[in-house]
């Protein structure tokens, strides 16, 4: 014969193997590293503004952040959150409040990303994914808004303080894990 076994027990059929736990962990690590790249890019962009803020040069910090916001309209709300803190530190609670409201609204609008955006971020470029903020950032922005308003005219401080509680409840109720448990209930 020509070297081909006629015995079917010697015939090998390719078997599809699952990824090992080590391979899955490696893939997960790479996805995590890629996800961090977008944050690092933002941090690099605002590094100079944060440095001047720490040095007490609030006007320079504000101008730097304003320039970044003007150059990147899609992320302007993030720069406005930073500018809101600069304005608050420089003694301009009304200017701070206006910027923080814009930033809060941007976080809200981008809180839930579409699946298509997420896949584009994973496969192509994580900068296509708009930043919707972490849960604590949604709470923190509202708390700072209440403080900024108290330092200004104080007329809307109660409303901003109420928003803190409302947003916390929304976050807690919007999540349910695969096992039916909600770890965000620990936020109470």
């Amino acid at each position: 014969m020509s070297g081909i076994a006629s015995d079917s027990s010697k015939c090998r059929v390719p078997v599809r193997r699952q990824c090992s736990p080590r391979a899955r962990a490696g893939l997960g690590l790479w996805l995590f590293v890629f996800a961090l790249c977008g944050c690092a890019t933002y941090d690099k962009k605002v590094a100079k503004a944060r440095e001047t803020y720490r040095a007490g040069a609030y006007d320079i910090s504000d101008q730097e952040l304003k320039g970044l916001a003007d150059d990147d309209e899609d992320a302007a709300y993030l720069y406005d959150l930073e500018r809101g803190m600069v304005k608050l530190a420089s003694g301009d609670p009304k200017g701070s409040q206006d910027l923080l409201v814009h930033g809060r609204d941007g976080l809200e609008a981008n809180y839930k990303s579409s699946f298509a955006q997420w896949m584009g971020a994973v496969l192509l470029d994580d900068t296509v994914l708009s930043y919707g903020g972490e849960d604590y950032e949604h709470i923190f922005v509202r708390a700072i808004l209440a403080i900024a308003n108290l330092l200004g005219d104080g007329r809307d401080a109660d409303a901003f303080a109420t928003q803190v509680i409302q947003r916390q409840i929304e976050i807690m109720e919007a999540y349910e894990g695969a096992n039916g448990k909600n770890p965000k209930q620990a936020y109470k």
Side-chain angles (χ1 to χ4, degrees), residues 34-66:
F34 286 130
L36 288 178
C37 292
C39 298
T41 301
Y42 177 80
D43 285 342
K44 286 179 186 176
K45 287 180 181 179
V46 297
K48 181 179 175 187
R50 288 178 178 173
E51 186 177 314
T52 56
Y53 173 85
R54 284 191 293 276
Y58 302 130
D59 289 342
I60 296 169
S61 180
D62 185 55
Q63 288 304 312
E64 179 73 22
L65 291 165
K66 185 174 182 343

Side-chain angles (χ1 to χ4, degrees), residues 31 35 113-126 128-130:
L31 289 175
S113 298
S114 71
F115 181 73
Q117 262 190 331
W118 186 84
M119 285 305 293
V122 169
L123 298 174
L124 302 173
D125 179 7
D126 65 338
V128 301
L129 191 59
S130 299

